[in-house]
């Protein structure tokens, strides 16, 4: 019943492995990793294979890139496994089947892991080509692949547990990424900064025990939730009872009438709309956040604040105030993960709820509808992101090094706010173009990753492996689309002391960024691009949706 006769496992495997996207994903995954190895291959015509260590930086980069790619893909296969049943209204039928809850959970879990395992082992021939260069042992490769397998096992179960707690796949995906991404970045940094026997022993002993400690209690808790589901029949409930949810909420509680909750969740309207008011804006502001409960909102706030506290002390008060851009990049990363959620389903959710035709028959113009959706989504995203900006303002008061850098602090705030506008606008544009909320969210993340993360990654890669290439000197000019590069380029005048490390000695050299004013061109680029994107989105909506 658990493996050979598990109908859930068989069905999910057939769906996941027979789709065209499985083959396209495998092709794209191997193409990216193969291109990384090809470009970073040593340029020397002759290499002494007996004494060479040329493969070590190449293999380290290969596994770090592979680990981050697999970590980003894990929630896409597992976070919608159970919420998809709720959205398709097959959740009750699944629980009423002869399968035990543990068998259902195991089938969903293994089915989400198999495509990722196929991706991992398909990359084995690429890394084997690097071993003859010297510097990396076969046992290190085995330890790296074992770490990849253990990591996706834990990440897959974490995503599956999030899927059991939420009603929508979008919420499950966001919380999964917030939980998984910090651990993935920490493990990738550990792999890059360690080597030899220490790394081998850690991956062979500590990582399996940590995976076991996470997976066993989490599997039992999730299976118990399926055995006694508190949300049974939730697919027939359109709006969550706010009073009941507030009474049962643990830790953080959201109150409409209290500051700062009323910034993104105003109180319910108890009077009529004013003449000329936009009803779509009023509805989105007052009801949409609470339509499926506030669990996702509360979890997002608590996780982000828990991560912000240690990063705040490390960036602003510990050892070197020159690390301020790294905290700003954390805030931008948080907005990148959370911001699209509140706009990626703005129009697709109307189709899914079969209310788009009713919306289009109103007297509102396409601009009024899109403007209301854009403002309401950006307001929630900006308020949540601003919760993480108060350490930046606090540092300007408490840290003397920042008293002479107030313009730089203002630039950091501008970069974060502009990045939040970009994430919301791109997500709304994808919601207008796409037909389902999940595809809209996935496309939003893809476009934002290309704009925000790819330029600094390519610049780091070129500086590390192609320092003499003429393209390397031009890479800062290609980073104007990335707020990460913009934050690193803001000039800081920090007085160095013997008790502080120079910012230029960090692994990722910020001095290379500060040599070119990326932040100015970043601001100018998006000040021009955002109105063009809004105009194009309005034109597409009027041309393709208004006539449907």
């Amino acid at each position: 019943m658990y493996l050979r006769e598990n109908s859930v496992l068989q069905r999910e495997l057939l769906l996941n492995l027979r789709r065209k996207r499985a083959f396209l994903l495998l092709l794209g995954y191997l193409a990216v990793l193969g291109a990384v190895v090809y470009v970073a291959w040593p340029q020397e015509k002759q290499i002494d294979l007996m004494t060479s260590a040329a493969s070590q930086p190449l293999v380290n980069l290969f596994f770090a890139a592979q680990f981050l790619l697999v970590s980003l893909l894990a929630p896409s296969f597992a976070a919608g496994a159970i919420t998809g049943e709720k959205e398709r209204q097959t959740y009750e039928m699944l629980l009423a089947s002869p399968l035990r809850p543990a068998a259902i959970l195991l089938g969903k879990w293994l089915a989400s892991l198999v495509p990722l395992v196929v991706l991992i082992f398909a990359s084995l021939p690429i890394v084997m080509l690097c071993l003859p260069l010297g510097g990396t042992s076969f046992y290190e490769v085995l330890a790296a692949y074992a770490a990849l397998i253990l990591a996706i096992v834990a990440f897959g179960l974490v995503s599956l547990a999030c899927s059991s707690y939420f009603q929508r796949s979008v919420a499950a995906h966001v919380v999964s990424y917030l939980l998984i991404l910090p651990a993935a970045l920490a493990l990738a940094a550990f792999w890059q900064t360690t080597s030899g026997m220490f790394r081998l022993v850690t991956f062979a002993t500590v990582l399996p025990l940590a995976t076991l400690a996470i997976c066993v209690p989490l599997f039992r808790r999730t299976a118990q939730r399926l055995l006694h589901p508190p949300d049974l029949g939730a697919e027939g409930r359109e709006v969550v009872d706010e009073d009941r949810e507030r009474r049962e909420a643990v830790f953080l509680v959201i109150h409409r009438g209290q500051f700062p909750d009323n910034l993104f969740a105003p109180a319910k309207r108890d009077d009529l709309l004013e003449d000329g008011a936009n009803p779509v804006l009023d509805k989105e502001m007052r009801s949409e956040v609470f339509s499926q409960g506030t669990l996702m909102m509360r979890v997002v706030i608590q996780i982000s604040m828990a991560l912000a506290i240690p990063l705040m002390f490390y960036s602003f008060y510990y050892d070197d105030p020159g690390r301020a851009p790294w905290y700003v990049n954390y805030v931008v990363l948080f907005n990148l993960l959370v911001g699209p959620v509140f706009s990626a389903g703005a129009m697709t959710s109307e189709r899914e709820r079969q209310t788009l035709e009713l919306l289009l028959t109103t007297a509102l113009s396409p601009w009024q509808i899109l403007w209301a959706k854009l403002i309401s989504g950006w307001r929630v995203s900006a308020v949540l992101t601003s919760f993480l900006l108060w350490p930046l303002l606090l540092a300007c008061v408490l840290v003397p090094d920042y008293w002479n850098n107030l313009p730089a602090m203002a630039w950091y705030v501008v970069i974060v706010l502009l990045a939040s506008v970009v994430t919301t606008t791109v997500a709304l544009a994808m919601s207008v173009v796409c037909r389902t909320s999940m595809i809209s969210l996935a496309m939003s993340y893809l476009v934002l990753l290309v704009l925000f993360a790819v330029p600094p990654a390519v610049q780091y890669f070129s500086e590390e492996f192609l320092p003499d290439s003429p393209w390397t000197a031009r890479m800062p000019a290609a980073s104007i689309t990335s707020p990460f590069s913009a934050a690193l380029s803001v000039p800081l005048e920090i007085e160095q002391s013997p008790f502080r490390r120079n910012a230029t000695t960090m692994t990722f050299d910020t001095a290379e960024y500060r040599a070119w004013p990326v932040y100015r061109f970043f601001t100018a680029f998006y000040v021009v691009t955002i109105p063009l994107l809004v105009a194009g989105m309005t034109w597409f909506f009027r041309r393709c949706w208004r006539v449907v």
Side-chain angles (χ1 to χ4, degrees):
M1 179 177 289
Y2 283 92
L3 290 177
R4 297 185 60 183
E5 299 180 359
N6 194 326
S7 57
V8 173
L9 176 60
Q10 295 174 5
R11 175 186 177 276
E12 295 290 336
L13 285 178
L14 290 176
L15 288 179
N16 290 336
L17 297 179
R18 285 187 175 181
R19 290 177 177 175
K20 294 182 180 180
R21 72 173 186 179
F23 298 96
L24 295 177
L25 179 62
L26 180 61
L27 176 62
Y29 183 80
L30 294 179
V32 170
L33 293 179
V36 169
V37 173
Y38 176 77
V39 176
W41 195 265
Q43 301 298 315
E44 293 84 356
K45 295 182 179 180
Q46 293 183 351
I47 298 177
D48 188 357
L49 299 181
M50 299 299 295
T51 61
S52 174
S55 71
Q56 188 170 6
L58 187 59
V59 171
N60 287 344
L61 178 65
F62 177 83
F63 278 114
Q66 187 176 13
F67 181 77
L68 291 177
L69 287 175
V70 171
S71 301
L72 292 175
L73 290 174
S76 65
F77 286 97
I82 298 178
T83 53
E85 302 286 348
K86 298 175 183 178
E87 292 169 344
R88 294 190 297 268
Q89 298 185 5
T90 57
Y91 185 51
E92 295 181 1
M93 292 187 291
L94 179 63
L95 297 181
S97 66
L99 290 175
R100 297 179 180 178
I104 296 174
L105 183 61
L106 183 63
K108 295 283 189 180
W109 189 18
L110 294 179
S112 65
L113 294 180
V114 168
L116 297 177
V117 173
V118 171
L119 293 179
I120 290 175
F121 282 103
S123 66
L124 186 59
I126 299 178
V127 74
M128 295 304 292
L129 292 174
C130 303
L131 292 184
L133 295 177
T136 304
S137 67
F138 180 71
Y139 298 103
E140 286 184 300
V141 174
L142 290 180
Y145 272 93
L148 284 173
I149 298 297
L150 292 174
I152 65 169
V153 166
F155 293 163
L157 187 56
V158 169
S159 302
L160 201 59
C162 293
S163 184
S164 69
Y165 276 89
F166 295 96
Q167 302 298 323
R168 292 183 179 179
S169 299
V170 171
H173 276 79
V174 172
V175 175
S176 300
Y177 279 122
L178 282 177
L179 293 173
I180 289 173
L181 197 58
L185 293 175
L187 288 175
F190 177 80
W191 172 265
Q192 285 286 89
T193 55
T194 58
S195 61
M197 187 58 64
F198 176 71
R199 183 168 64 185
L200 187 62
V201 171
T202 302
F203 281 166
T205 57
V206 177
L207 192 59
L209 294 177
T211 304
L212 194 65
I214 293 173
C215 291
V216 171
L218 193 58
F219 185 89
R220 294 181 61 183
R221 180 68 183 89
T222 308
Q224 184 180 6
R225 183 177 177 83
L226 293 182
L227 181 62
H228 304 285
D231 52 354
L232 194 63
E235 59 269 18
R237 184 175 59 197
E238 295 296 333
V239 180
V240 174
D241 186 358
E242 295 182 27
D243 296 332
R244 178 182 176 184
E245 186 186 56
R246 189 161 48 245
R247 291 193 303 267
E248 297 177 353
V250 180
F251 298 112
L252 180 68
V253 178
I254 295 178
H255 295 278
R256 285 181 179 267
Q258 296 181 1
F259 179 85
D261 300 346
N262 54 7
L263 294 178
F264 60 86
K268 291 183 178 180
R269 177 175 291 277
D270 54 3
D271 56 352
L272 298 177
L273 280 173
E274 299 84 359
D275 293 339
N278 192 327
V280 177
L281 178 62
D282 188 80
K283 177 258 181 185
E284 295 288 335
M285 286 288 191
R286 300 178 186 275
S287 302
E288 191 64 23
V289 172
F290 290 87
S291 61
Q292 292 293 326
T294 61
L295 178 59
M296 188 268 288
M297 187 81 70
R298 290 186 282 114
V299 171
V300 165
I301 294 174
Q302 292 176 101
I303 293 176
S304 62
M305 296 302 294
L307 293 174
I309 293 174
L311 286 174
M312 173 188 67
F313 282 98
Y314 179 78
S315 300
F316 296 132
Y317 308 114
Y318 173 74
D319 195 24
D320 185 9
R323 295 192 182 95
W326 300 99
Y327 182 82
V328 176
N329 283 341
Y330 163 71
V331 179
V332 173
L333 181 61
F334 169 79
N335 183 263
L336 172 63
L337 294 176
V338 176
V341 178
F342 304 104
S343 298
M347 297 308 304
T348 53
S349 61
E350 301 286 351
R351 286 179 54 89
E352 293 166 347
R353 294 194 298 260
Q354 298 182 1
T355 57
L356 180 60
E357 288 80 2
L358 297 176
L359 182 62
L360 295 179
T361 56
T362 63
L364 296 174
S365 65
W367 166 246
Q368 289 176 307
I369 296 174
L370 293 178
W371 173 81
K373 298 281 188 179
L374 180 64
I375 294 299
S376 60
W378 177 78
R379 180 178 180 178
V380 178
S381 171
V383 171
L384 293 180
T385 305
S386 65
F387 289 165
L388 304 180
L389 281 179
W390 66 267
L392 192 67
L393 304 179
L394 187 63
C396 294
V397 178
L398 299 180
V399 181
D401 292 288
Y402 294 140
W403 294 350
N404 296 326
N405 290 279
L406 295 182
M409 300 295 107
W411 272 111
Y412 289 145
V413 175
V414 170
I415 290 172
V416 172
L417 293 180
L418 193 57
S420 67
V421 176
V422 174
T423 55
T424 302
T425 308
V426 169
L428 183 59
M430 293 299 105
S431 182
V432 171
V433 174
C434 301
R435 291 184 174 270
T436 63
S437 296
M438 280 307 305
I439 295 179
S440 174
L441 184 65
M443 291 300 299
S444 301
Y445 282 141
L446 180 61
V447 172
L448 291 173
L449 283 175
V450 172
L451 291 175
F452 288 5
V454 170
V458 173
Q459 180 170 356
Y460 171 76
F461 177 82
S462 60
E463 292 175 355
E464 186 74 17
F465 294 95
L466 303 171
D468 299 328
S469 174
W471 293 100
T472 302
R474 302 174 184 174
M475 281 309 301
S479 301
I480 62 174
T481 63
S482 173
F484 302 117
S485 300
L488 292 172
S489 68
V490 175
L492 281 176
E493 298 179 1
I494 304 296
E495 295 182 1
Q496 298 296 333
S497 69
F499 301 101
R500 294 175 179 164
R501 288 181 297 174
N502 194 327
T504 59
T505 63
M506 289 185 290
T507 306
F508 204 63
D509 197 349
T510 58
E512 296 291 336
Y513 283 89
R514 291 171 182 168
W516 204 77
V518 178
Y519 63 98
R520 297 181 184 273
F521 291 93
F522 165 82
T523 305
F525 176 80
Y526 281 114
V527 166
V528 175
T529 303
I530 291 175
L532 294 178
L533 184 59
V534 172
M537 176 173 51
T538 306
W539 174 86
F540 185 88
F541 183 85
R542 182 182 294 109
R543 181 72 178 270
C544 299
W545 290 92
R546 190 70 174 176
V547 298
V548 175

